[in-house]
Each structure stands twice: as structure tokens, then as C-alpha cells.
Amino acid sequence: MPELPEVETVRRSLERSVSGKTVSSVKVYHPKMIRGMEVAPFADALHQERIERVERRGKFLLFDFDRFYLVSHLRMEGKYFPYPQPVERDKHTHVVFRFTDGSELHYNDVRKFGTMELRDKETAMQTAPLAQLEREPFDPEFTAEVLAENLIRKKRSPIKTALLDQSIFLGLGNIYVDETLHAARVHPLTKAGALTLDDISRIHQAGVEVLRQAVEAGGSTIRSYVSPSGKGEFQLQLAVYGQKGEPCPRCGTAIEKIKVGGRGTHFCPTCQQVAL
DNA sequence: CAAAATGTTGCTGA
DNA sequence: ATCAGCAACATTTT
């Protein structure tokens, strides 16, 4: 479900609902989602650990415990539901954290694609899965020049595919890549190696701005995703994603939908000219 | 019933 | 050795 803006919205919600709480027990109902160790040591390690705060790296959530980071990825449909009192788990709830104050946090994921793993705090950033991510898009050091450098590694791929790679442009996913390319007026099938520095500058500027505005709006509420606070209004601003057949907000041409790298891809055939 | 869905990864063949 | 392309993961919805 989530790209960077949705994950950031979840992070802010978790920061309010669970930071400062101490784990009294962890129950895992879908062992496959716990990576790197067996379920028993996973649950044991978290016993009596306190969540200092909840952080984010790209689309990963990091629960900052006393001794570990719990690195959590929601993939397509993962969700966290906090409850003030113990509740019966839903059939798609795969992990239940109970806290010493009697409250609970349920991890729910219909498609079971999400993952959790514990990392030592000292080495968390130097090891998979956090190691090879690009710096945060809002970091001033993530410049158009950095993006241009990254894109050299993907010069034979369509720009749409390249931008989905988290080591190229961290935080973008299928929705916001389409929005970014529309704002930058670049056709999604354009080979990354065929882009001018000016194209790349527009993509960089548009991508950062799209993510910034989406975070501000609380993410997009589409399909399964529901923001924890009930907000998530960015879908109202989407220019192309999910807008097949609707008029382009800039020129009025009907938005088209094609398949690029296996992903549904929306664009305006007038604003975004083909340039393979 | 086939296709698609906000993501990543591991394999295959060039 | 890279790297581009695609199946796989599992379930629900259209």
C-alpha cells in the first residue's frame, strides 16, 4: 500500500500511539514474515524492550528499541492498528504486540508480503535491507546531480522503471513515479540514458515536490490504504494515477494507461512526448 | 474467469 | 560480470 508519504503518515501516527511503551509480549501468527531469525528469539528479544521512538528510512519503518531497530516493511498492504485494550485479532493480523499498559499494536497484511526483522542498532544502516538505499529525498544532499549519477547505472531502462529502484530515487513508488513524470513532462518509456541534464533536473524537482506535497496531505487513500488518522487526501490531487480516460489537468488530453516493467503506468500523450 | 493491485527480490538469459 | 526482464510471493477485487 505505501510509498514514502503513506509510510511517513503511518510513522507519525505510531509515534503518537506507541512511542514510550514497553513490550510485554509479542505473538507471531505468520512466521514467514519474520526475517533473519526464528520467531521464538524474535519475541524473546523484544520482551521488556521500550520503544524510544519510531523512525523511517525510505519506505521502511524503524521501531527504535533500547537495543534494536525493528525494521518493518509494509510492502503492498501492510497496516498497523493500535488498540487501547486487548482485542480479538482479525484473520489477516499476523503479529500482535502487547504493551505493559495493556494496549496492543496489531500488524495486519492481507497479502502477507510485509516483513519484519531485528537489527543491532550499530550495524542496522550498514546491512541489508537498509544498506543500499539512496539518501532521503528531502536531504539537501540529494541533488539533481546525484540523481543523474544514479541513473547512469540504469541507462538502458525506461525512466519509469529506473525511478522505482530505491537506490536511484528513494521513496517513490508506482503512484508518485507516474505523478513525477507527468509533472516533469517526461514520457515513462524514455530510456534513462537518453535524458538530458535538464530532463533529470525537472524529474528531481518534481519528484521531491510531489513527495513533499503528498506527505503534507497525509498520503493518498487508494484501494486498501487508509491513513491511521482517517486523513490521507492526496488522491484528490493526482493528475494521472488512476485517471485513465480523464482529461489531463494541464492540457485536457485523455490520460492513457500502458504497462511498463510490469506496472500499470499512466501518462498524458500530449504533455509527455515519446523520446526513446 | 482473467487481470490487476501503493513492492521487492531472486532467477534467467543476454 | 552486469544488467534488463520477469516470475514469484498471497489475497482480494473488478
Side-chain angles (χ1 to χ4, degrees), chain A residues 87-149:
Chain A
V87 296
E88 198 70 16
R89 82 184 171 97
D90 174 270
K91 76 187 259 208
H92 299 303
T93 288
H94 308 308
V95 182
V96 173
F97 300 87
R98 184 167 294 182
F99 301 106
T100 53
D101 68 351
S103 64
E104 290 186 340
L105 181 65
H106 291 209
Y107 176 77
N108 186 287
D109 187 344
V110 167
R111 289 170 77 177
K112 301 179 181 165
F113 285 178
T115 61
M116 288 184 195
E117 64 187 293
L118 283 183
R119 317 280 350 178
D120 289 327
K121 282 177 138 179
E122 304 73 47
T123 58
M125 302 307 169
Q126 282 78 52
T127 56
L130 302 180
Q132 79 280 25
L133 301 176
E134 179 50 280
R135 69 209 79 182
E136 289 291 318
F138 306 128
D139 184 334
E141 288 186 17
F142 178 66
T143 60
E145 289 69 32
V146 169
L147 178 59
E149 190 71 21

Side-chain angles (χ1 to χ4, degrees), chain A residues 169-240:
Chain A
F169 197 136
L170 184 60
L172 289 180
N174 205 38
I175 295 176
Y176 299 118
V177 164
D178 284 3
E179 295 298 312
T180 295
L181 290 174
H182 177 262
R185 305 185 191 223
V186 173
H187 194 287
L189 285 174
T190 310
K191 294 282 184 280
L195 295 166
T196 65
L197 188 53
D198 187 62
D199 293 330
I200 295 174
S201 292
R202 292 199 317 281
I203 291 169
H204 171 266
Q205 198 263 327
V208 171
E209 185 60 13
V210 162
L211 289 174
R212 194 190 63 72
Q213 288 183 17
V215 167
E216 192 174 338
S220 299
T221 301
I222 289 181
R223 296 177 63 84
S224 65
Y225 174 76
V226 187
S227 94
S229 62
K231 288 186 64 182
E233 297 286 319
F234 192 77
Q235 70 280 7
L236 301 174
Q237 301 175 49
L238 295 174
V240 290

Side-chain angles (χ1 to χ4, degrees), chain A residues 17-18 20-24 83-86 98-104:
Chain A
S17 58
V18 301
K21 293 188 177 181
T22 299
V23 172
S24 58
Y83 299 101
Q85 304 288 333
R98 184 167 294 182
F99 301 106
T100 53
D101 68 351
S103 64
E104 290 186 340

